[in-house]
Structure formats: C-alpha cells, structure tokens
Amino acid sequence: MNIHGKDIKIFTANANPKVAKEIAQVLGLPLGKSTVTSFADGEISVSIEETVRGSDVFVVQSTCGPVNNNLMELLIMIDAFKRASAGRITAVIPYYGYARQDRKAKARDPISAKLCADLISTAGADRVLTMDLHAAQIQGFFNIPVDHLLGVPILVPYFLEKAKRMNHEELVVVSPDLGSVTRARKFADLLGAPLAIVDKRRPRANVCEVMNIIGEVKGKRAFLVDDMVDTAGSIVNAAQALMEFGATEVYACATHGVLSDPALERIKNSCIKEMVLLDTIPEKPGAKDARITMLPVATVFAEAIARIYADKPVSPLFT
C-alpha cells in the first residue's frame, strides 16, 4: 500500500453530503462519484463509480443518527475503496458517534467507542480526521493516526464579534460540567474572559441535576460552552441555574448538535438567548425557531485535508 496517494478525491455517503460538497468546493475539486443506497431488506448498497486506484481518498461521513446506518455506510465505503486499490484512505468523521461509552463506568459495561474504532481500522481506513471527540482519550483507541480538530477556534470569532457589542467586564465563560472545563478554559482564554463551572450530578443518562455554580456569574452575560447537545436537558438546566444565580443573559454554544427529542422544544422554551452549533451534524428542521445558529466547518476540514495530502502538520489549525 502506498503511504501517499497520487491524487486527491473526496467522497461522501448520506450522513452529511452538504459538508462534503462544501469541502470539495473549498479544495476546488469535484465530489467523487458514488451511490450509497439500501437493498429492499435495509442492507447498505455501495457503488463507487470512478477509479480510485492509487488515489488519496477522503470519505466524509458523520456517524450521527440514524447512527447504525451511517456507521455501516462508512465501513462499507472504506472496504470498497480498499478493494479498489486506493493509495490511502482517510475517514473524515466530523461527528464521531458511539463515543459516550469510552470506559467501564460499572460492571459489564461495553466500551463502544473502542469497538467502533476497531471496526473503522479493520474496514481499511489508514487514518481518521475528526472534530471534538466526546472524550479525548478515544484517539488512543485507534491503531492508526487520528487528527483531532477543535471546534473552539471556529466558535470564538463569532462570540468575539458579539462581545464587541457588550461590556467586556460583564462577560463570563461557563463550563456546564466538570468534563468540559478544558474546552471552556481555552474558550475563555481566547475570549479574554473569566471562567465559571456548573457543578452538577447526573443520576442517569440524559438526566442531570444542577448542584452549584463555581465562580462569579452575578450581573454577567454568560457564554455556556459544551462539546455536544443531545436532549439539551443539561445545557438548559445549566442556563436556568445561571439566571437563578444572577446572570443577566445566557448564550450557549457546542460543536455537535445531536438534538434528539425533545431538545428543540427545550431550547425554544429556555432562557438561552441564542444557541450556536457547528454543522458537523445536519441542521434539524425547526432549528431556527429554537434560536439556533449554525456555523460551517467545511473550511477547517478542507484545510486539514489539504495538509494531510501534502504531509504537512495539522496542529496550526488548533489555535
């Protein structure tokens, strides 16, 4: 197998074709010709309609809902490229699903994130390009190189523009839980604002109970920073707690908008003035009614792909 393809080709399955097209446009390339459908019984059918022999192939596919279908599409496409003698195959996964079970929290728990990493490697991927893994240690689950992009450098410029219209002394960046402190601290450093933390307890999955606020939020405009919003219970409860502790306004942002039911309704009825998400997952119908703003990731992924193809470091994109 070649360590570097002779040319570069971008392909997509059905999870997020909009982002794949935008990446190809930024790179000045046509989107690769392929068809990904299903047989009558639901099995995935993949057809690659152009030669990829010796090419540097990038397959863009988020493993968002329907998670199992999108994961199988990715695996089967990778297998098809491997059998078609692609020079190098990079799985571009803007949102990496099955990431929440990254350790054995209790007896007999699976480690789904490791299983999916093994499946992607076994299918034939030579490297992975992704953004804001739910747990950073998932990079170590792969036996192939992983380039882990960050969403914060995309989100911060948007909030810097918003901060220009506000009194900078009134701003505070808030982590909705202890697990997001590193991300929120980086956001706060780039914004030049202090950091606060919501101390919460999660009695079971998708249910959380706010306990306390660590830091000063009274009289301040709060920017909540998280990696993903699923049912939105956690971030909505955190926003409500901030208001109860004296915050004047609450804005929220996250990299991945999973937005499972009843997320949109919760956000719409919450005290959050604006929710800013990246389009690693396609925008849900009704998102604008819930005061959700989507920011594009295509430019950052296109730059990363260009650097990988040219064997240049990806680390400059982290700032």
Side-chain angles (χ1 to χ4, degrees):
M1 169 105 25
N2 298 331
I3 62 169
H4 191 297
K6 64 183 180 184
D7 58 359
I8 181 171
K9 295 195 175 186
I10 312 294
F11 287 85
T12 183
N14 294 320
N16 205 341
K18 176 178 174 288
V19 167
K21 290 175 184 174
E22 290 172 353
I23 290 171
Q25 286 172 358
V26 172
L27 292 170
L29 298 169
L31 200 58
K33 296 176 183 176
S34 63
T35 302
V36 183
T37 57
S38 298
F39 293 108
D41 64 353
E43 292 179 4
I44 306 299
S45 170
V46 170
S47 177
I48 309 301
E49 295 161 357
E50 62 180 87
T51 182
V52 294
R53 184 176 293 273
S55 298
D56 214 340
V57 171
F58 293 83
V59 192
V60 182
Q61 175 80 337
S62 286
T63 51
C64 52
V67 181
N68 297 332
N69 265 30
N70 288 334
L71 177 60
M72 283 305 298
E73 286 182 4
L74 174 62
L75 296 175
I76 294 171
M77 284 194 84
I78 291 171
D79 181 75
F81 291 126
K82 180 179 69 173
R83 295 177 187 278
S85 301
R88 181 169 62 177
I89 304 167
T90 301
V92 181
I93 312 173
Y95 169 71
Y96 182 82
Y98 278 115
R100 279 173 277 193
Q101 286 190 300
D102 61 316
R103 66 194 186 282
K104 291 188 70 170
K106 62 181 187 299
R108 295 172 295 282
D109 270 0
I111 305 180
S112 311
K114 168 61 174 167
L115 172 62
C116 289
D118 289 342
L119 289 171
I120 291 166
S121 300
T122 302
D126 295 298
R127 66 188 308 123
V128 168
L129 174 62
T130 188
M131 177 174 277
D132 272 348
L133 291 165
H134 189 59
Q137 65 265 26
I138 293 173
Q139 295 175 79
F141 292 175
F142 289 89
N143 294 320
I144 55 178
V146 176
D147 291 304
H148 185 209
L149 301 178
L150 304 177
V152 165
I154 304 175
L155 292 164
V156 165
Y158 182 87
F159 281 92
L160 277 172
E161 285 300 313
K162 190 177 290 293
K164 288 178 182 178
R165 301 188 293 273
M166 301 174 179
N167 182 348
H168 199 271
E169 298 300 317
E170 296 177 354
L171 303 181
V172 61
V173 174
V174 183
S175 171
D177 54 39
L178 295 174
S180 296
V181 169
T182 301
R183 180 180 299 102
R185 183 178 290 115
K186 185 174 182 64
F187 194 101
D189 289 343
L190 292 171
L191 201 63
L195 177 69
I197 303 167
V198 177
D199 180 24
K200 70 178 183 182
R201 181 176 63 191
R202 189 183 294 277
R204 62 185 184 276
N206 296 126
V207 176
C208 76
E209 177 185 340
V210 171
M211 305 294 289
N212 196 16
I213 306 292
I214 302 168
E216 183 58 53
V217 298
K218 188 174 181 180
K220 293 182 179 289
R221 291 182 168 95
F223 294 162
L224 271 165
V225 183
D226 210 348
D227 68 320
M228 64 184 286
V229 178
D230 189 356
T231 61
S234 177
I235 205 156
V236 165
N237 286 349
Q240 184 60 41
L242 290 170
M243 295 298 288
E244 290 171 2
F245 275 77
T248 57
E249 291 180 336
V250 179
Y251 298 83
C253 66
T255 302
H256 310 296
V258 180
L259 301 180
S260 307
D261 285 335
L264 289 176
E265 194 64 27
R266 282 177 173 170
I267 296 168
K268 186 176 180 180
N269 296 329
S270 75
C271 60
I272 297 173
K273 290 202 68 173
E274 183 183 19
M275 172 76 75
V276 182
L277 302 170
L278 305 186
D279 63 354
T280 57
I281 297 173
E283 183 175 342
K284 298 292 176 72
K288 288 184 173 59
D289 295 335
R291 303 182 299 281
I292 291 175
T293 300
M294 303 293 290
L295 302 181
V297 297
T299 302
V300 172
F301 273 96
E303 176 66 18
I305 288 170
R307 286 176 172 272
I308 291 168
Y309 176 67
D311 291 328
K312 292 180 179 178
V314 177
S315 55
L317 300 178
F318 297 164
T319 53

